[in-house]
Amino acid sequence: YNDANWCNDEYDKLYDQQHVELDVVKRHAEIQKMLEIMYDEAPYAVLYKYDELQAIRSDRWENFVRQPEKTGPVLFTNTSPAYLELVPKGGGSGGGGNTGLLVGIGVAVVAIAGGGLWFRSRRKVSLDERE
């Protein structure tokens, strides 16, 4: 994840090297040097770290997209494919499909309440103001 858009030529060179290095000791040394560079330049101010746990209803949803591909989270990522590709399993709502009805009822309640308040405010006008 490089959402700080941080660039460093030496770090990038070491990254490419460690990516193909087969000797574990050499790779470890390259990664340690990369960490030192990142520490010295401080592109992030890390205040705390917490492990994220995500529980997902795979019986109701499909087409999960991880960012990065094999190890990343499914939701709350820096890109949108996770949300665009996620669909209800089998094209249905899985038994909890009253969302549209609830939204419709909510909109109706707000519209009626707003209309009632408008009507009430119009009735408070005195007879003198009407003439």
Side-chain angles (χ1 to χ4, degrees):
Y1 301 129
N2 188 13
D3 54 352
N5 296 314
W6 174 62
C7 297
N8 180 293
D9 291 336
E10 183 182 5
Y11 182 93
D12 292 344
K13 182 180 174 187
L14 286 167
Y15 177 83
D16 290 339
Q17 288 174 0
Q18 68 81 32
H19 190 66
V20 295
E21 181 61 60
L22 298 177
D23 184 332
V24 175
V25 175
K26 287 181 182 179
R27 183 167 189 255
H28 179 78
E30 291 167 346
I31 291 173
Q32 284 302 119
K33 180 63 179 166
M34 290 168 61
L35 291 171
E36 289 173 17
I37 293 168
M38 182 176 260
Y39 177 81
D40 290 339
E41 293 202 8
Y44 286 98
V46 180
L47 302 177
Y48 62 91
K49 182 196 179 297
Y50 57 92
D51 293 325
E52 292 184 25
L53 175 65
Q54 293 185 359
I56 298 165
R57 296 285 310 256
S58 59
D59 62 327
R60 291 192 179 187
W61 300 95
E62 59 188 352
N63 294 341
F64 296 106
V65 177
R66 292 186 176 275
Q67 302 284 325
E69 186 176 341
K70 293 184 181 180
T71 59
V74 175
L75 301 175
F76 309 113
T77 62
N78 292 331
T79 58
S80 58
Y83 303 102
L84 295 174
E85 299 296 326
L86 192 62
V87 295
K89 204 167 217 176
S93 62
N98 290 330
T99 305
L101 177 63
L102 292 175
V103 169
I105 290 172
V107 169
V109 167
V110 169
I112 290 170
L117 289 173
W118 178 81
F119 183 73
R120 186 174 176 198
S121 70
R122 300 291 298 158
R123 290 189 51 150
K124 287 184 178 181
V125 177
S126 69
L127 290 174
D128 294 336
E129 290 176 357
R130 290 184 191 174
E131 294 179 11

